[in-house]
Amino acid sequence: MNTLRSVRGMAGLRRAVIAVYLKPVLCGGMADLSPVTAAVPDEVIQQRKEESSLFRWISAFQEFGHLTADVNPIHPNTRQVPELEPELYGLSRDASYKPRGLVAGCDGTYTLQQLQDILKQKYCGHISVEFSNLPTLEEREWFANAVESLQDEVITPEERIRLAGDMLRSQAFDNFLGTKFQSVKRYGAEGGESTMGFFSEVFRRVAQEGVEQVVMGMAHRGRLNLLTGLLQYPASVMFRKMKGLPEFPENVKFIGDVLSHLTISLDMEMEGDNSLHVTMLPNPSHLEAVNPVACGKTRARQRSLREGYYSPDPDAQPGDKVVCLQVHGDAALGGQGVIQETLALSAVPHFDIGGALHVAINNQIGYTTPGERTRSSNYCTDAAKMCGMPVIHVNGDQPEAVVKAARLAVQYQRKFRRDVFVDLLCWRRWGHNELDNPRFTNPTMYHVIDAHRSVPDTYAEQLIEEGVLGREEAMKITADHMAFLTEQFKLADSTVPKAPHLEKQWAGLVQAPSSLQVWDTGVDSQTLQYLGAKSVEIPENFNLHKHLKKTHVEARLQKLREGVGLDWATAEALAFASLLYQGFGVRISGQDVGRGTFSQRHCMFVDQETAEMHIPLNFISEGQSAYLEVANSILSEEAVLGFEYGMSIESPNTLCIWEAQFGDFYNGAQIMIDTFISGGEAKWLLQSGLTMVLPHGYDGAGPEHSSCHMERFLQNSSSSETVPDGDDVNWCIVNPTTPAQYFHVLRQQMIRNFRKPVIVVGPKVLLRHPAATSTLQDMAPGTHFLPVIGDPDVNPDNVKKVVFVSGKHYYTLVGERKARGITDTAIIRLESLCPFPTPQINAELIKYKKAKKFVWSQEEHRNMGPWFFVHPRFENLCATKLEYSGRDVSEVPATGVAQFHKAEAQALINQTFAL
């Protein structure tokens, strides 16, 4: 694989952001993530040679010690690991050994038994580690030394008291809810209260390291405890929600979500003068779906703060100011493929965020399924091994060990800027929720749990016995928090919730109105000619592929000079360039988007001799403030689309585009569409201007390369069959037939004063169709997106039949009408499907007073495409009953037999004109 040259040597922010930001070059599936090889001192190397058998035995503890570690609070580990027996390495129990340089802190002479006890303490105690799979020697040496020195970490009396307080308050919260809201599913932290110590320590440590913001993705377990505890979510608002009242005020449009999906964004005051902004994203019930969303939001926030790859400082690293914290459930972590997809993005250019911190709240049960049946590997965290990430296992019944595990994780992430996992093994006092009984299927586990004393009480008692915490002081912590919760409970009915959705970078935007608005998205023609020329300008001595020079660069320049014949790629480049020129950022993501699936885009050029990339639109003018980011992605839909959605909810002034290789392939991301994109604003007031481009068209390419299944998006829209739509539908679905229409769609995404997702039923054959071109005048000032395009080629007085169509099928029908010499049939295009353009349709219908037949023609099957969506709206809103012309119902979008395809296409044409 070719190595792409870094541009870190280029001066200034402009040069720092314009190119492909590379860390790894993938070789054989493993990333060489650091060019630095750790220097092992000569004396240590010599010691390893002289004590090679001892070194091998110590290395075995580093690699296999976790298998026999005391990290499970409810299932004692009795596993025998032969690799840890010294006899296997020819070591004598009667001899003495000097492990200096082999084990941190061991500089004297030891018997084998003493060494074995030390190694068990370091690698088989309440903390164990897996790090032998780390990709560099430097990381492995560092990790071994850090683990072996972990016992020397000091937890001060003040820190111990704070730890006890965090857990006691969490326990008090669960007890309070158990009394006041017995029938509410709260997914409490009982059995896993030490997670509060983990979060507290992570927040403190990253703030000390200079991190300013943390973006969190978290599922249900313990979420409410963390929100009302460390994250200061108003308990009165939460109690309102538990009483069945809404979490947002009445003056905003929303549907709302369930209790366990609540979210917050706040500034936490840390020690000293430090503050830390923490954002907990909403998480749908499809567990782990939030993972790539959190990563995408983290990357976008890094861009907002101009840190890492977006920084003018050549020494800046991603994660200097913003860190992602992912909180997993054990069963979901072992079973959900989106996790593997997200991890596969972790070191990919344009998706790298400098390493995320992961913690698995490991209840050792999934709903009611025992842990060993939720996966086929030893641990729920084994997905981490796919990308050579370290895992720290820790006993959740040992709060101080949890704190040390958090410290180790933060230290690794800060030093190497790579993902790290903490597997926090705990237990669950109740079932999947408090109303569920897990004892039907897990009786032996719950015999143990029922006899298990709570972790906060046990730890508080330990501190009391050691004289660190007074008994009255411990009781006061609980009593004070119960009093606080009681007061908040009294305020629940009178509390007025807030809607903090249009603040900071979102200030000035509004919720979309219930009417349809028109936005002037045109641009001066001379400006477009200048920008178009810039879109294909290359540096001196750049070795452009000769085919592109002729068919792409020279052809585009010729079209721009003439002002006619502009194709889709040119219109897109003009949309991008004009937005950049106005100060809006643009990011396009997906598989092969730099070139384009159909070799049409070429928004980045690759030098044919050096493989260096050049993005012309990042060199429009001196002082340019906004840039095009071309994110060629891995072969993933769910994680990549989730990542882009995360980018979009952070960045209202960046046009975020995800393009599917073929529209059919979006279905691998269905979870993201159903749980985030279609309803994110209605559920959580999160606006998104994400644009999805889904190539679509029946061209004889078979069942999986023909349809973006627009019917599914239409079905999932909030469009009404009986009341005219406004801009406040949940998303826009457009099927543009000209490059200019696409130009206006893209620009409209940034120009209007609200943000909505847009689904673009994208072109394939229209990319180069000679009739599907536009002029500069079609994009001039005063022009805009046309929801409906009438028929200029017929005399309305002669029209007896009106055919409505959407998409590329229009060109087939127009060509056939001309070939047959038909003059009494008008063909009208619906460019917008949602919002449904009722006023514009009625304006067209009124032209054809003599028309007797009204037909809907589509190339899709009857149970697919727009038919089911348009015919009730035409009848209810336009007083027009449509006849159907199209393929009959089918279980697959298209045939894979060319002969069948041709016959179907001809029959469809005949049917349309015969009706």
Side-chain angles (χ1 to χ4, degrees):
M1 180 178 291
N2 290 331
T3 302
L4 300 178
R5 204 161 57 195
S6 171
V7 293
R8 278 300 189 194
M10 297 182 181
L13 173 64
R14 179 166 177 257
R15 296 289 180 171
V17 244
I18 55 165
V20 178
Y21 319 116
L22 293 180
K23 277 185 81 175
V25 177
L26 299 182
C27 302
M30 178 56 71
D32 180 11
L33 293 161
S34 174
V36 180
T37 301
V40 180
D42 292 341
E43 61 270 23
V44 173
I45 295 176
Q46 185 61 33
Q47 181 73 354
R48 291 176 179 179
K49 288 180 180 178
E50 294 175 0
E51 297 285 359
S52 59
S53 295
L54 182 64
F55 177 53
R56 288 169 58 218
W57 181 52
I58 293 169
S59 298
F61 269 91
Q62 295 172 349
E63 185 172 357
F64 302 110
H66 62 90
L67 295 174
T68 187
D70 182 18
V71 294
N72 197 319
I74 58 174
H75 296 305
N77 192 346
T78 59
R79 183 169 180 173
Q80 299 298 312
V81 182
E83 289 88 348
L84 303 183
E85 296 302 320
E87 290 79 8
L88 187 65
Y89 306 93
L91 299 175
S92 171
R93 292 190 179 273
D94 298 328
S96 296
Y97 297 91
K98 295 181 179 180
R100 184 175 183 275
L102 304 183
V103 181
C106 294
D107 294 333
T109 301
Y110 301 83
T111 66
L112 194 64
Q113 187 60 52
Q114 288 174 323
L115 267 180
Q116 192 169 38
D117 292 343
I118 290 171
L119 291 170
K120 285 183 177 180
Q121 196 174 37
K122 292 181 182 294
Y123 288 103
C124 309
H126 296 315
I127 296 176
S128 66
V129 293
E130 295 179 89
F131 66 94
S132 60
N133 61 317
L134 293 180
T136 66
L137 176 62
E138 181 190 14
E139 289 176 75
R140 294 190 295 274
E141 291 288 323
W142 179 92
F143 216 95
N145 184 71
V147 171
E148 290 166 6
S149 304
L150 201 57
Q151 290 174 326
D152 298 331
E153 285 277 339
V154 175
I155 300 180
T156 66
E158 293 78 14
E159 290 171 337
R160 299 177 78 190
I161 292 172
R162 181 172 58 237
L163 174 58
D166 289 338
M167 293 194 299
L168 287 169
R169 282 186 285 272
S170 176
Q171 179 174 261
F173 176 75
D174 279 324
N175 291 340
F176 183 87
L177 296 188
T179 301
K180 298 293 186 181
F181 299 98
Q182 296 180 6
S183 62
V184 171
K185 300 175 182 179
R186 62 182 185 271
Y187 305 96
E190 293 158 292
E193 290 94 345
S194 61
T195 55
M196 299 303 120
F198 176 88
F199 293 129
S200 179
E201 189 66 17
V202 166
F203 294 151
R204 288 176 60 239
R205 291 286 166 167
V206 297
Q208 290 171 6
E209 292 280 344
V211 172
E212 299 175 4
Q213 305 208 22
V214 172
V215 177
M216 291 186 66
M218 183 179 185
H220 303 15
R221 183 74 51 211
R223 186 184 184 99
L224 305 187
N225 304 67
L226 177 59
L227 279 170
T228 57
L230 297 176
L231 300 186
Q232 304 160 31
Y233 187 94
S236 59
V237 176
M238 185 173 290
F239 295 153
R240 270 179 58 88
K241 183 68 176 174
M242 291 180 179
K243 288 185 172 186
L245 299 173
E247 63 268 36
F248 298 124
E250 296 179 355
N251 64 339
V252 296
K253 292 179 279 189
F254 72 98
I255 292 174
D257 202 354
V258 297
L259 177 68
S260 53
H261 299 170
L262 292 177
T263 181
I264 195 170
S265 185
L266 84 158
D267 291 309
M268 297 177 63
E269 294 301 320
M270 309 304 291
E271 297 169 352
D273 295 329
N274 294 328
S275 67
L276 185 70
H277 188 84
V278 178
T279 300
M280 180 189 285
L281 290 174
N283 188 68
S285 291
H286 213 295
L287 303 179
E288 308 297 335
V290 76
N291 292 177
V293 177
C295 290
K297 186 173 178 69
T298 300
R299 173 95 185 191
R301 191 158 288 179
Q302 290 173 349
R303 180 178 59 195
S304 298
L305 297 178
R306 292 190 170 184
E307 71 115 289
Y309 297 123
Y310 302 100
S311 171
D313 181 359
D315 297 323
Q317 297 184 74
D320 281 347
K321 296 179 182 179
V322 188
V323 167
C324 184
L325 173 58
Q326 303 272 20
V327 187
H328 307 278
D330 52 313
L333 180 56
Q336 292 292 307
V338 68
I339 295 165
Q340 285 85 348
E341 289 188 23
T342 305
L343 295 180
L345 286 172
S346 61
V348 173
H350 304 286
F351 298 92
D352 180 3
I353 59 172
L357 292 161
H358 301 259
V359 59
I361 302 179
N362 189 349
N363 303 298
Q364 307 183 66
I365 186 172
Y367 205 85
T368 63
T369 303
E372 66 273 11
R373 297 194 178 192
T374 62
R375 58 185 180 272
S376 297
S377 59
N378 274 337
Y379 303 114
C380 66
T381 51
D382 279 341
K385 298 174 183 176
M386 178 183 79
C387 295
M389 299 165 180
V391 178
I392 305 162
H393 305 279
V394 61
N395 190 320
D397 269 11
Q398 305 296 323
E400 292 183 15
V402 171
V403 168
K404 290 182 177 181
R407 290 181 182 178
L408 178 58
V410 171
Q411 289 168 6
Y412 175 82
Q413 188 274 337
R414 300 314 297 157
K415 181 171 180 61
F416 296 101
R417 303 300 164 96
R418 300 191 62 232
D419 292 62
V420 56
F421 280 74
V422 174
D423 176 19
L424 197 158
L425 288 94
C426 52
W427 42 278
R428 199 175 68 191
R429 177 68 72 185
W430 310 108
H432 177 65
N433 57 67
E434 288 70 21
L435 309 183
D436 180 58
N437 188 346
R439 292 163 183 81
F440 299 131
T441 51
N442 298 274
T444 56
M445 172 187 280
Y446 275 85
H447 288 328
V448 175
I449 291 175
D450 289 343
H452 215 75
R453 192 181 182 195
S454 87
V455 177
D457 289 344
T458 301
Y459 185 65
E461 191 63 37
Q462 176 189 336
L463 297 190
I464 292 168
E465 291 175 358
E466 295 178 8
V468 175
L469 179 68
R471 188 172 298 279
E472 290 184 0
E473 187 180 357
M475 295 173 64
K476 187 176 185 301
I477 291 172
T478 298
D480 286 352
H481 198 58
M482 292 294 275
F484 164 75
L485 294 172
T486 299
E487 185 62 28
Q488 291 289 301
F489 181 77
K490 293 177 182 178
L491 296 173
D493 291 333
S494 60
T495 295
V496 178
K498 297 180 180 179
H501 61 306
L502 297 175
E503 300 177 352
K504 296 183 178 178
Q505 70 268 37
W506 295 89
L509 297 177
V510 300
Q511 283 196 302
S514 55
S515 59
L516 292 175
Q517 297 177 310
V518 176
W519 297 89
D520 181 353
T521 47
V523 179
D524 177 76
S525 295
Q526 287 186 333
T527 301
L528 290 179
Q529 287 176 318
Y530 166 78
L531 295 173
K534 284 291 184 180
S535 74
V536 289
E537 188 174 85
I538 58 175
E540 189 177 355
N541 299 322
F542 189 90
N543 300 290
L544 184 66
H545 194 288
K546 60 182 181 180
H547 180 73
L548 289 182
K549 183 177 180 181
K550 179 179 180 180
T551 63
H552 186 76
V553 175
E554 294 177 359
R556 176 170 296 178
L557 293 173
Q558 177 66 24
K559 293 171 185 175
L560 289 166
R561 284 192 294 269
E562 296 173 354
V564 297
L566 304 179
D567 58 16
W568 288 79
T570 300
E572 181 184 71
L574 294 176
F576 289 177
S578 57
L579 288 173
L580 295 173
Y581 201 59
Q582 290 178 257
F584 296 103
V586 179
R587 174 182 164 100
I588 184 167
S589 170
Q591 297 145 28
D592 308 306
V593 292
R595 189 200 76 156
T597 298
F598 309 100
S599 195
Q600 85 282 4
R601 179 171 292 118
H602 298 290
C603 62
M604 50 166 253
F605 296 138
V606 180
D607 190 293
Q608 296 299 297
E609 294 184 7
T610 66
E612 182 177 356
M613 286 185 182
H614 175 71
I615 300 174
L617 288 181
N618 287 332
F619 297 90
I620 293 175
S621 63
E622 290 299 326
Q624 184 172 341
S625 61
Y627 300 91
L628 168 63
E629 187 169 8
V630 183
N632 287 314
S633 77
I634 64 172
L635 194 63
S636 154
E637 283 78 40
E638 184 177 2
V640 175
L641 183 59
F643 192 99
E644 300 311 317
Y645 174 77
M647 295 281 293
S648 73
I649 59 175
E650 170 66 19
S651 308
N653 294 317
T654 296
L655 174 63
C656 295
I657 302 173
W658 178 74
E659 182 179 70
Q661 214 173 37
F662 285 84
D664 318 59
F665 300 165
Y666 91 89
N667 57 13
Q670 191 70 55
I671 291 168
M672 292 299 163
I673 293 163
D674 290 345
T675 59
F676 283 105
I677 301 171
S678 69
E681 184 176 6
K683 291 190 287 187
W684 314 306
L685 298 182
L686 289 180
Q687 290 195 21
S688 165
L690 180 65
T691 300
M692 295 174 58
V693 179
L694 308 178
H696 172 95
Y698 282 54
D699 312 319
E704 278 82 52
H705 292 80
S706 298
S707 175
C708 73
H709 290 283
M710 71 180 83
E711 66 276 359
R712 297 177 185 172
F713 294 96
L714 292 167
Q715 183 185 42
N716 212 11
S717 75
S718 59
S719 171
S720 172
E721 290 185 5
T722 57
V723 178
D725 288 339
D727 285 330
D728 56 349
V729 291
N730 62 322
W731 55 21
C732 303
I733 303 169
V734 298
N735 196 356
T737 56
T738 72
Q741 286 283 84
Y742 182 47
F743 168 89
H744 291 300
V745 166
L746 296 179
R747 285 187 47 78
Q748 181 175 270
Q749 281 293 80
M750 293 291 99
I751 299 302
R752 57 190 181 183
N753 63 350
F754 59 87
R755 298 290 177 261
K756 287 286 182 181
V758 170
I759 316 302
V760 179
V761 181
K764 295 189 297 182
V765 298
L766 293 191
L767 292 170
R768 296 180 175 86
H769 196 293
T773 61
S774 297
T775 69
L776 287 176
Q777 282 303 308
D778 296 330
M779 308 174 196
T783 59
H784 56 85
F785 174 73
L786 301 173
V788 175
I789 298 180
D791 192 338
D793 298 327
V794 293
N795 183 342
D797 292 335
N798 297 333
V799 170
K800 299 178 181 178
K801 180 197 298 184
V802 178
V803 177
F804 290 92
V805 65
S806 186
K808 82 170 188 70
H809 187 46
Y810 163 79
Y811 291 99
T812 301
L813 295 181
V814 167
E816 190 68 20
R817 181 181 65 179
K818 182 178 181 180
R820 297 187 183 198
I822 296 173
T823 59
D824 63 352
T825 299
I827 303 175
I828 299 173
R829 288 171 273 178
L830 265 65
E831 303 282 290
S832 171
L833 292 167
C834 178
F836 190 71
T838 301
Q840 293 85 353
I841 292 173
N842 285 332
E844 288 297 318
L845 285 170
I846 204 170
K847 297 177 183 178
Y848 303 105
K849 302 183 184 301
K850 297 180 180 179
K852 302 297 182 182
K853 287 190 176 183
F854 300 92
V855 177
W856 177 264
S857 183
Q858 65 178 41
E859 58 182 358
E860 297 84 11
H861 292 277
R862 190 183 186 106
N863 56 327
M864 303 174 193
W867 166 245
F868 86 95
F869 181 84
V870 299
H871 82 81
R873 287 165 176 78
F874 266 91
E875 192 163 339
N876 298 334
L877 301 174
C878 305
T880 301
K881 189 171 182 62
L882 295 175
E883 297 183 61
Y884 173 77
S885 175
R887 288 174 167 86
D888 201 355
V889 296
S890 175
E891 60 271 47
V892 296
T895 177
V897 180
Q899 181 182 7
F900 296 169
H901 169 75
K902 292 178 181 178
E904 289 177 356
Q906 188 58 52
L908 168 57
I909 294 170
N910 293 339
Q911 180 188 21
T912 299
F913 289 106
L915 285 173

